[in-house]
Amino acid sequence: MVARLTRREFLYALAAVGGAGAALGTLEIWDLVTPAAEYQVPFDPPRKSDFSMRGRGNDTTVLILGAGIAGLTAAYELEKAGYRCRILEARLRPGGRNWTVRRGSTDTDLDGVEQIARFSEDLYMNAGPARIPQHHTTLEYCRELGVPIEPFTNVNADAYYFNEEDGRFSGGLTGRTVRQRAVKADYVGYTSELLAKVVNQGALDAELSPADREAMIEFLRAVGALGPDDRYLGSGRRGYRNPPGAGNRPGVVSPPFDLSDLLAAGFGHYFPFELEWDQAMMMFQPVGGMDRLPYALARALEGEIVYSAEVRSINSTDEGVEVIYTRDGRNGIQVRADYAVCTIPPRILARINSTFTPELKRGLASVTTIPTAKMGLEFRRRFWEEDDQIFGGITNTNLDIGTIWYPSSGFLSKRGILIGYYNYFDQALSYDELSPTERIERAIAQGGKVHGDVYAREFETGFSAQWNRIKYSEGGWALWADRGENYRLLTQPQGRVYFAGDHLSYVTSWQHGAFESARQAVTDLHQRVLSA
Ligand code: PHE
């Protein structure tokens, strides 16, 4: 059973476990928080000189299990020091959950249900990771590997909010498509007005000095766009009924929404998102698809990536690691190496024969992951740009589609792919149960509530990625209730096998976590080899 969390609780839970932010909060000497300390974890990649300086041969072999971001990075960094690496990958491509779906991409899910993407040439959807914050290690690898990036629009004032009446939300603004800028301007305007009123009445005199009060009122007037008598009467920030223009057209501001309606509709829950450590602009995406990154890593490797290789057993001894895998119907292929770095998702790994301790096997089996799903919808016309003047960004809804994402590239071109849903938990599971065609129909019906008939009219083709149903992943990212005993156990090597993946970091659900975890495993392994 998957616990039902509301989106708000989920976002809160994510924020509450946030590693870097939380750690900084405990630092007492703020002077020590230089920009570098705030954003970067130092990493000293192993170098060839590490070996030659100590007169060692460069012949240590490492078998890497999984060609996702963690596995590719482990191989890439180890090869810098002259390790010889080979990667076994069950899929036919590198990247793991970093998956860009293009024309011709296929998926056969755990039940054997097949999908083929029929998107137009040059259009794509990032089915897994799709946005990169500017402080993530991910961008370091884009720089190092020459993967060009472009802005990813995570927030757009002109995108929409749409909340349907659902028992929690009600009032005159539910069931209506409203611009985020209007909602934000009104919320901030009204709350500023209320706070100004309290301050002006002297109700906060115990907390504020006369100078504070004056400065506070000045601040509230500015952020709230307060008018005469410190009242909020609307402002151009919320948008216009008649936009300003030439000659005698100064513009007519659209009237503010009713405060009670705003509160009842629950839009305020969406505001904190764009302030989060990992979600604040600027954000980026590789030009041409997120998978440009794993493909660049794969190209940079000297060692072989064996695709279509399903690991059947992992045997760690005093001398080395022996792995047996199957490939294209051939069973029992055996390969040995001095060490291994294993990035196979924990619950899948728990089912594979191994010399791991029973305690580790239980620990692996107990890691839960989030059900999550994304739908790419291609439209013949970019109506969101042409009709709504929305260029990138995200519409938030309380529908089972979660959000609608507008593409951050290809502006002003003819066709485009929207993310028609990106959802979690029960909402994702409810789409899991449908056939690919039914998923599209439901996504179109739901999106149509926000965008109207044009949504069905201009629709061309769609593709769904239901991560719980996707082979070799069987879930989204790991959900740690706490990073206690079990987390510590899973981050330790077993014999000659090291473990890596975003699940072994405080930054699950981000490629950053996979990069950082791979660097950790490589550093630990290298130190052991040097001291042997
Ligand atoms: N990293 C994922 C994403 O950006 C999951 C996530 C969602 C993380 C919301 C934080 C907040 O979509």
Side-chain angles (χ1 to χ4, degrees):
M1 258 303 288
V2 175
R4 192 185 152 107
L5 266 81
T6 63
R7 185 184 163 77
R8 185 171 162 225
E9 286 160 349
F10 164 62
L11 292 179
Y12 177 76
L14 282 172
V17 297
L24 271 185
T26 64
L27 264 191
E28 278 168 22
I29 308 163
W30 282 91
D31 289 352
L32 290 181
V33 187
T34 62
E38 196 175 338
Y39 288 114
Q40 289 158 13
V41 178
F43 173 63
D44 205 5
R47 280 165 290 231
K48 289 225 198 304
S49 59
D50 289 349
F51 283 101
S52 49
M53 268 161 52
R54 287 158 199 257
R56 292 182 57 100
N58 293 353
D59 52 1
T60 306
T61 55
V62 183
L63 200 55
I64 314 266
L65 307 181
I69 294 298
L72 291 166
T73 304
Y76 175 70
E77 296 297 350
L78 286 168
E79 284 187 355
K80 285 181 183 171
Y83 287 82
R84 288 192 290 122
C85 299
R86 178 185 290 179
I87 305 187
L88 301 182
E89 166 55 49
R91 296 180 159 106
L92 296 165
R93 59 167 182 83
R97 280 167 290 159
N98 177 327
W99 184 29
T100 300
V101 175
R102 304 188 169 76
R103 184 181 192 83
S105 298
T106 62
D107 179 57
T108 305
D109 76 9
L110 291 174
D111 300 319
V113 177
E114 252 185 272
Q115 284 186 87
I116 300 174
R118 307 201 183 279
F119 295 139
S120 295
E121 218 63 70
D122 296 333
L123 293 184
Y124 63 85
M125 77 180 277
N126 289 322
R131 47 187 165 199
I132 310 171
Q134 53 198 327
H135 57 275
H136 276 189
T137 299
T138 313
L139 290 187
E140 271 183 50
Y141 284 89
C142 289
R143 182 190 291 117
E144 189 167 324
L145 296 160
V147 174
I149 59 169
E150 63 194 0
F152 173 88
T153 313
N154 210 27
V155 189
N156 181 345
D158 281 327
Y160 295 127
Y161 291 134
F162 181 94
N163 278 359
E164 193 168 60
E165 206 166 315
D166 72 348
R168 210 151 62 103
F169 302 133
S170 59
L173 287 179
T174 48
R176 277 180 62 186
T177 301
V178 291
R179 298 271 187 194
Q180 295 185 6
R181 65 160 63 251
V183 170
K184 287 175 176 171
D186 291 353
Y187 252 91
V188 176
Y190 286 128
T191 48
S192 298
E193 175 184 321
L194 289 170
L195 186 50
K197 194 181 275 179
V198 173
V199 171
N200 285 329
Q201 287 168 351
L204 294 176
D205 286 4
E207 282 86 358
L208 302 173
S209 71
D212 291 343
R213 287 201 292 277
E214 208 179 300
M216 177 67 93
I217 292 294
E218 213 179 299
F219 164 71
L220 293 170
R221 284 176 185 156
V223 293
L226 301 184
D229 306 326
D230 291 338
R231 302 266 323 274
Y232 176 66
L233 304 167
S235 96
R237 292 176 193 169
R238 74 179 317 289
Y240 289 83
R241 185 154 52 198
N242 303 313
N248 61 354
R249 284 175 288 143
V252 180
V253 170
S254 54
F257 297 131
D258 179 73
L259 175 58
S260 296
D261 279 340
L262 277 172
L263 293 170
F267 296 132
H269 299 307
Y270 298 124
F271 296 2
F273 177 77
E274 66 188 84
L275 307 173
E276 293 300 336
W277 170 252
D278 285 331
Q279 297 290 359
M281 290 293 280
M282 286 297 290
M283 300 203 59
F284 294 92
Q285 62 184 12
V287 176
M290 192 59 85
D291 67 351
R292 297 291 152 103
L293 186 48
Y295 277 101
L297 277 163
R299 264 198 310 275
L301 297 179
E302 283 165 26
E304 184 190 9
I305 303 179
V306 185
Y307 290 104
S308 202
E310 284 189 34
V311 171
R312 289 286 179 257
S313 80
I314 303 166
N315 187 0
S316 178
T317 69
D318 288 345
E319 283 78 52
V321 183
E322 184 189 288
V323 169
I324 295 177
Y325 65 95
T326 66
R327 185 162 196 238
D328 301 331
R330 260 186 67 210
N331 292 324
I333 310 170
Q334 194 175 316
V335 50
R336 302 173 125 275
D338 297 319
Y339 295 93
V341 176
C342 179
T343 70
I344 297 171
R347 261 177 307 146
I348 296 177
L349 182 56
R351 300 199 300 257
I352 294 174
N353 276 325
S354 71
T355 48
F356 301 154
T357 61
E359 197 195 3
L360 179 63
K361 286 180 188 172
R362 271 197 305 278
L364 289 167
S366 75
V367 176
T368 56
T369 52
I370 187 171
T372 182
K374 259 186 199 169
M375 162 71 73
L377 298 173
E378 178 173 338
F379 294 91
R380 288 183 281 273
R381 184 169 80 78
R382 296 168 82 100
F383 57 85
W384 56 92
E385 293 179 1
E386 294 175 9
D387 305 349
D388 304 64
Q389 286 80 45
I390 297 173
F391 292 79
I394 294 174
T395 281
N396 291 288
T397 81
N398 70 337
L399 306 173
D400 60 22
I401 56 174
T403 45
I404 297 174
W405 295 24
Y406 309 99
S408 290
S409 64
F411 298 123
L412 303 180
S413 59
K414 195 84 198 97
R415 290 164 173 267
I417 293 180
L418 297 185
I419 297 301
Y421 59 72
Y422 172 32
N423 49 20
Y424 321 102
F425 294 113
D426 288 358
Q427 295 181 336
L429 292 171
S430 72
Y431 280 89
D432 280 359
E433 288 163 15
L434 306 177
S435 71
T437 310
E438 289 168 336
R439 286 175 201 145
I440 291 171
E441 285 167 5
R442 185 146 139 203
I444 294 289
Q446 295 291 58
K449 293 179 184 171
V450 179
H451 278 281
D453 298 343
V454 69
Y455 216 68
R457 215 168 44 240
E458 301 293 356
F459 169 72
E460 173 100 2
T461 185
F463 191 95
S464 51
Q466 309 292 127
W467 285 101
N468 259 25
R469 311 303 307 144
I470 291 180
K471 243 181 136 180
Y472 309 124
S473 293
E474 300 188 18
W477 53 89
L479 296 170
W480 291 104
D482 64 88
R483 283 179 178 74
E485 260 322 295
N486 198 36
Y487 177 78
R488 271 196 297 282
L489 177 69
L490 267 56
T491 53
Q492 297 309 307
Q494 277 252 317
R496 291 171 165 262
V497 181
Y498 286 73
F499 299 96
D502 68 306
H503 59 291
L504 301 178
S505 76
Y506 282 81
V507 199
T508 54
S509 93
W510 295 97
Q511 296 178 90
H512 177 78
F515 282 115
E516 288 293 321
S517 168
R519 286 177 162 193
Q520 179 78 55
V522 161
T523 304
D524 293 350
L525 196 164
H526 187 50
Q527 264 158 19
R528 170 149 152 201
V529 169
L530 287 184
S531 62

